[in-house]
Amino acid sequence: MLILLRAGVIGLNVALVLAEKGYGRHTTVIAEHLPGDTSINYTSPWAGANFSAISASDPNALRWDKLGYMHLLSLAAKDGKNAFVKETPSVEYWDELPSREKIDSMAAYLKDFKEIATQDLPAGVAFGIKFTTITINAPMHLLYLLRKLTQEYGVQVIRKKLPRVSSGYLSKDTKVVFNCTGNAAKELPGVQDSKCFPTRGQILLARASHVQQNIMRHGKDYETYVIPRPYSNGNVILGGFMQKNVGTPDTFGEESESILTRTTDLLPALNSNETEVLGAFAGLRPSREGGARVARENVQVGDAGRRVVVVHNYGAGGTGYQAGYGMAVEAVNTVTEEINALDIQSHL
Ligand SMILES: Cc1cc2nc3c(=O)[nH]c(=O)nc-3n(C[C@H](O)[C@H](O)[C@H](O)COP(=O)(O)OP(=O)(O)OC[C@H]3O[C@@H](n4cnc5c(N)ncnc54)[C@H](O)[C@@H]3O)c2cc1C
């Protein structure tokens, strides 16, 4: 009775939801890349990461964001230091008015939410908010999730590249496969979703221990952000870029310059002897036209045409950390019947 996933933040959150329901010992994570690895084909370690209004305004995105925020807020309060997540004051600015639905939705649940008075906005900014966000030390949070899953919940991990989704059915006991393959969903046989595309982001890792706030500016053709990296000895992530359909892992000097200029304009405190740029990196957000796909599919595998279930959960774009837990809850809910029917004892 194995349930198989992948090891980005999306797959690990599905494993967490299954483990919290008591199915940890019956869950196996199979992945080519695992926490601790870096690869352009493994997006999760490159994220900022924070909760922000960068996500879309459709009902799915609004729901997943809310579930994700509530989960991260509670994790920061209960186990923030171990999980590398922290409450952080945040300011977000828009050059053009954002959707009212989105702002109203966020206002209903974000801690300390406040709209900034028009006269207090910087030049060129049409709208701004303040709230308490959650910042996440992405590479360390992935390691935390893996450790928690394996050591506390008994989840098994196999490092392996699978040639197709159906290869996840390791035996006749495998009932459900969760397909959380990120950018690979575009090419992976059994998925081959032509709506998927990468959105490249270049970022700078800098040391700036005097910066303790998150700040973002959403422009028409740009995203500029400063995200303190929690429990990291004073590091911050400076960004960024949202380049649709660009898949290069290379980093470019002029993009680093652009990031430094824009972030220093946004947060003049960065212009200090205490700020030291440590490196430039690029990652590919797994984007999808119309938003992420969280849906079950009944398929047949093997010569005998055995009926099994694949649950797709990919296409999180720039929101895998903030929305990942919400997406995982809904992905698992699509197979409640199959999971309840498993012939196992809950280990809660
Ligand atoms: C610069 C940048 C900044 C970002 N900032 C934020 C932020 O502030 N907040 C936020 O919420 N999000 C942010 N994101 C987005 C976030 O990082 C992604 O949404 C998230 O990492 C996607 O996770 P994933 O699990 O879908 O994909 P991945 O992390 O790519 O994981 C995919 C997994 O599937 C495995 N896999 C794929 N194919 C196979 C196969 N055939 N066989 C076996 N294993 C396979 C891989 O090895 C890997 O384990 C940012 C991203 C970037 C690039």
Side-chain angles (χ1 to χ4, degrees):
M1 274 128 304
L2 297 169
I3 303 169
L4 311 165
L5 317 140
R6 307 293 188 267
V9 71
I10 298 297
L12 294 176
N13 268 302
V14 174
L16 182 64
V17 170
L18 290 168
E20 287 170 347
K21 284 180 176 287
Y23 297 104
R25 288 176 198 288
H26 305 277
T27 300
T28 301
V29 171
I30 303 182
E32 183 184 8
H33 301 103
L34 295 168
D37 300 355
T38 54
S39 163
I40 195 62
N41 297 318
Y42 184 30
T43 303
S44 295
W46 305 118
N50 67 8
F51 179 98
S52 79
I54 206 167
S55 46
S57 305
D58 59 90
N60 284 342
L62 297 183
R63 226 176 38 249
W64 295 330
D65 272 0
K66 182 177 177 186
L67 286 167
Y69 181 80
M70 300 319 285
H71 166 72
L72 290 169
L73 195 64
S74 145
L75 185 59
K78 282 196 290 213
D79 202 18
K81 203 165 178 191
N82 285 324
F84 291 87
V85 299
K86 192 177 176 187
E87 284 191 23
T88 306
S90 186
V91 172
E92 293 195 33
Y93 294 129
W94 284 260
D95 290 358
E96 293 178 348
L97 285 181
S99 114
R100 196 66 237 178
E101 271 166 325
K102 173 159 201 103
I103 298 304
D104 288 347
S105 166
M106 291 171 67
Y109 65 85
L110 290 180
K111 193 171 166 184
D112 306 319
F113 180 92
K114 214 171 128 207
E115 289 185 19
I116 300 172
T118 314
Q119 66 270 20
D120 297 333
L121 296 173
V125 168
F127 187 75
I129 58 173
K130 284 184 178 183
F131 65 100
T132 296
T133 192
I134 303 294
T135 49
I136 304 145
N137 182 331
M140 296 308 289
H141 182 65
L142 294 173
L143 286 167
Y144 156 83
L145 284 174
L146 186 69
R147 210 169 40 243
K148 189 172 184 72
L149 289 167
T150 54
Q151 295 177 8
E152 276 183 39
Y153 289 117
V155 169
Q156 298 292 309
V157 177
I158 299 172
R159 181 193 288 278
K160 192 174 180 182
K161 179 170 184 172
L162 298 177
R164 55 187 65 81
V165 171
S166 57
S167 318
Y169 292 91
L170 294 188
S171 79
K172 66 174 177 35
D173 291 332
T174 307
K175 302 297 183 207
V176 180
V177 167
F178 288 88
N179 166 37
C180 310
T181 44
N183 281 308
K186 188 175 178 67
E187 306 287 348
L188 189 68
V191 198
Q192 289 169 322
D193 186 338
S194 60
K195 290 185 177 166
C196 293
F197 61 94
T199 301
R200 178 180 172 278
Q202 181 162 318
I203 50 169
L204 298 179
L205 175 69
R207 181 152 301 138
S209 53
H210 57 297
V211 171
Q212 301 288 336
Q213 75 162 109
N214 183 88
I215 183 161
M216 305 187 72
R217 182 159 172 172
H218 309 287
K220 193 161 186 292
D221 301 312
Y222 67 87
E223 281 291 335
T224 302
Y225 52 87
V226 179
I227 306 176
R229 183 159 264 191
Y231 308 112
S232 71
N233 211 10
N235 291 346
V236 297
I237 296 294
L238 310 178
F241 284 90
M242 301 286 280
Q243 297 164 334
K244 286 187 179 178
N245 272 312
V246 177
T248 179
D250 299 351
T251 60
F252 300 99
E254 69 260 28
E255 293 191 356
S256 295
E257 298 271 321
S258 162
I259 291 171
L260 259 186
T261 306
R262 285 185 282 129
T263 51
T264 308
D265 282 352
L266 188 61
L267 190 67
L270 280 171
N271 190 10
S272 145
N273 290 340
E274 289 181 60
T275 304
E276 181 191 1
V277 175
L278 304 172
F281 304 94
L284 306 179
R285 300 172 181 89
S287 305
R288 183 172 181 271
E289 281 165 42
R293 181 179 181 200
V294 178
R296 63 174 281 157
E297 187 183 4
N298 298 326
V299 295
Q300 296 191 332
V301 293
D303 295 339
R306 191 163 58 89
R307 286 168 186 279
V308 290
V309 181
V310 177
V311 181
H312 300 287
N313 187 0
Y314 60 83
T319 69
Y321 282 85
Q322 69 182 60
Y325 190 84
M327 292 165 67
V329 166
E330 294 195 3
V332 170
N333 282 347
T334 67
V335 284
T336 304
E337 212 174 289
E338 285 78 5
I339 290 178
N340 286 344
L342 292 177
D343 184 20
I344 55 177
Q345 290 291 310
S346 171
H347 289 271
L348 274 178

